[in-house]
Amino acid sequence: MKQELSYRDSVHKTGRIWMFSALALLLAVPAAICVYYSAWPPVGGVLKGLLSVAPIFWTVGVIEVFTYVPMLGTGGSYLGFVTGNLANLKVPCALNSMDRAGVQPGTEEGEVISTLAIATSSIVTTLIIALGVLLLSQIAPVLESPVLQPAFENILPALFGALGVVFISKDWKIAIAPLLFMITLFLLVPSLGSAVGILVPVGALIAIGVARVLYKKNLL
Amino acid sequence: MEFNPNNTFMYVVVALVIAFVLLQSVVFFIKAWRRGKELGMDMKALKKTVGSSALFTVAPAIAILLGVIALSNALGFPLPWLRLSVIGSLTYEATAAAAAATAVGASLSQRITDPKIFSAIAWVMALGIIPGLLLVPLLGKKIEKGISSIKSKDSKWGQIFLSGLFLGMISAFLGLVFARVQEGLAGWIPVFVMLASAVLMMTCGLIRKAFNAKWIEDYALPISLLGGMALSIPITTLVQSMIG
């Protein structure tokens, strides 16, 4: 037990240093552009732009921290939140890897598998994008060809269809209610598509609520 | 000074940040690998995790690359490259860039040539994504403690609680698949693709049982993802020919 704490604590310590450094670097990029070109933008313009994205994306950002940190574990969170693309890549990758390895999130083994999955995924993503930018003139015609467009437009359905089978079949009793709720909601209000990040905790609350009732009645 | 979003200065700045984040991934990888060894975990399982995660990442990473290409018309390559390699996601970056451009009276339909407008967009994209980077170091430990206190009180409920969290996320994204159904048959394409990918996943499960092919289990998600994406091409063609 003591060792587990000390490992987690060391990840927290390293993670905080890396994350605050990454934050500083990310803010240094626009600052560097301003200094180099001596082109400081009008503060009002930046605020106005921020005002149109911050209400939604800051809310989603806060929600993501509370929903994904328990799934990703300590190391996985520090890495996943820096490297991004959580819902469409890192979270499914980590969940699937833990499931395949037969380990639970939140355990020491789950921590190791989740961090390895997210680190591998981050490294591969970075390399593919770097390679893509370098070879762009050769591969852009292929990637942008109309034949391939449906494949890239449908990446989320293809991902969650497969992931759904794995996790719904395990806990179908918990899954039915949030699933029906979400399908009905999107059928009735299609414009909610851009707010899917905000709906994740709604789905989680429904699932956890139903699970609690079933658990209390000994039905799980 | 002449402003060009594709100049060497931009590439150097962006490459530095990307290298930093790549290094972070490597450091965390090594830390987790060593820890796995210490815990006496099966090294084969660790290697499988690496292999299947790498394979699984390829298709989504190419989709992200397409996002870089889409934004590069207006912003050049370096900035979108940075924004999509490090934090952010496709939906976020495109929305943030468009909102920032509108706010300063520009548009992403053409190349941004005014450095002031360009830096305004860069600031909005950077500032709009700060919460995750601030809150994980500030609250991460507390959230973990909350989860482990739920687990220590009742470990079975702790597991069910986490499953509820996953299923909430999966339900929201599966619901999203139905968001275009109102548009008629073409809006069903994502639903058909989702079902195709689900069938592929079940087929992998059946093959594993029938032939005791355990290897297929490790690659079932990348196989179903790529298969679903590939099948979306004939599905789209078929639906479009039916609409006429």
Side-chain angles (χ1 to χ4, degrees):
Chain A
M1 194 62 197
K2 193 164 175 280
Q3 216 190 354
E4 180 188 359
L5 282 179
S6 69
Y7 174 72
R8 285 255 166 103
D9 285 343
S10 101
V11 174
H12 274 297
K13 208 174 149 196
T14 327
R16 280 179 184 160
I17 296 171
W18 279 97
M19 207 146 194
F20 283 130
S21 316
L23 180 63
L25 273 179
L26 275 165
L27 294 177
V29 171
I33 297 171
C34 293
V35 171
Y36 187 78
Y37 291 104
S38 38
W40 291 86
V43 176
V46 174
L47 284 181
K48 212 172 132 199
L50 202 55
L51 207 62
S52 56
V53 290
I56 288 198
F57 287 109
W58 284 8
T59 312
V60 171
V62 173
I63 287 169
E64 282 185 338
V65 172
F66 284 96
T67 43
Y68 297 151
V69 167
M71 299 187 201
L72 299 179
T74 315
S77 299
Y78 281 108
L79 200 49
F81 276 88
V82 168
T83 57
N85 287 292
L86 288 165
N88 58 337
L89 183 54
K90 306 289 158 56
V91 174
C93 187
L95 290 184
N96 184 61
S97 298
M98 285 188 274
D99 179 58
R100 291 277 69 97
V103 297
Q104 293 290 331
T107 60
E108 291 183 74
E109 287 80 7
E111 173 72 36
V112 169
I113 295 289
S114 167
T115 307
L116 282 180
I118 292 173
T120 307
S121 183
S122 303
I123 294 169
V124 172
T125 309
T126 310
L127 294 181
I128 287 182
I129 298 178
L131 212 63
V133 170
L134 281 176
L135 302 175
L136 202 75
S137 48
Q138 283 98 323
I139 55 172
V142 182
L143 290 181
E144 288 185 308
S145 75
V147 185
L148 283 182
Q149 289 327 294
F152 291 112
E153 278 163 19
N154 287 295
I155 193 158
L156 280 181
L159 172 54
F160 281 93
L163 208 61
V165 169
V166 177
F167 286 96
I168 293 170
S169 62
K170 273 198 199 169
D171 295 292
W172 61 271
K173 285 180 195 161
I174 308 176
I176 290 175
L179 204 52
L180 285 178
F181 175 83
M182 289 298 165
I183 293 175
T184 317
L185 187 67
F186 277 104
L187 284 176
L188 295 175
V189 198
S191 59
L192 281 174
S194 55
V196 66
I198 296 175
L199 291 172
V200 170
V202 177
L205 283 178
I206 297 173
I208 292 168
V210 170
R212 189 71 196 169
V213 173
L214 293 175
Y215 183 62
K216 284 278 167 195
K217 291 188 174 170
N218 265 328
L219 291 169
L220 285 180
Chain B
M1 197 178 314
E2 181 79 23
F3 174 71
N4 175 3
N6 275 329
N7 68 9
T8 320
F9 168 75
M10 283 297 298
Y11 271 108
V12 170
V13 168
V14 162
L16 280 175
V17 181
I18 291 175
F20 177 85
V21 174
L22 195 59
L23 186 65
Q24 183 185 359
S25 306
V26 173
V27 167
F28 275 67
F29 184 99
I30 295 171
K31 224 171 150 60
W33 188 270
R34 285 197 185 141
R35 182 63 182 162
K37 240 180 188 170
E38 253 174 52
L39 291 171
M41 289 174 75
D42 179 9
M43 284 293 133
K44 269 189 202 155
L46 299 195
K47 281 179 195 159
K48 268 182 200 160
T49 298
V50 173
S52 67
S53 301
L55 186 64
F56 165 72
T57 302
V58 173
I62 293 176
I64 297 169
L65 177 61
L66 280 173
V68 177
I69 298 175
L71 284 176
S72 67
N73 287 335
L75 301 175
F77 281 109
L79 187 67
W81 180 26
L82 170 72
R83 299 301 327 183
L84 287 164
S85 303
V86 184
I87 47 173
S89 66
L90 230 46
T91 39
Y92 166 71
E93 304 299 349
T95 318
T102 317
V104 289
S107 146
L108 291 186
S109 58
Q110 58 205 15
R111 171 63 54 92
I112 304 285
T113 48
D114 181 342
K116 282 188 179 167
I117 291 180
F118 188 83
S119 68
I121 294 174
W123 274 112
V124 173
M125 287 170 102
L127 291 172
I129 199 120
I130 276 187
L133 287 176
L134 274 178
L135 292 181
V136 172
L138 294 178
L139 295 180
K141 224 172 178 172
K142 289 203 181 88
I143 297 172
E144 264 169 27
K145 275 194 184 140
I147 298 289
S148 57
S149 88
I150 292 175
K151 275 191 165 168
S152 62
K153 274 181 203 148
D154 181 346
S155 72
K156 191 179 174 208
W157 169 245
Q159 278 190 23
I160 297 171
F161 180 89
L162 282 176
S163 304
L165 209 54
F166 299 172
L167 288 168
M169 178 205 180
I170 292 171
S171 313
F173 281 91
L174 283 177
L176 177 65
V177 171
F178 290 82
R180 287 176 48 217
V181 163
Q182 278 190 5
E183 294 168 22
L185 196 56
W188 281 90
I189 293 175
V191 180
F192 297 146
V193 174
M194 174 194 76
L195 292 174
S197 156
V199 169
L200 284 173
M201 185 51 114
M202 289 182 228
T203 315
C204 286
L206 289 177
I207 293 176
R208 167 178 175 9
K209 270 189 191 145
F211 301 99
N212 203 14
K214 192 157 177 3
W215 62 270
I216 202 168
E217 209 169 43
D218 298 310
Y219 293 96
L221 187 64
I223 292 172
S224 312
L225 170 65
L226 288 172
M229 286 171 73
L231 284 172
S232 74
I233 297 171
I235 289 173
T236 305
T237 316
L238 189 70
V239 167
Q240 275 165 356
S241 72
M242 283 164 79
I243 299 170

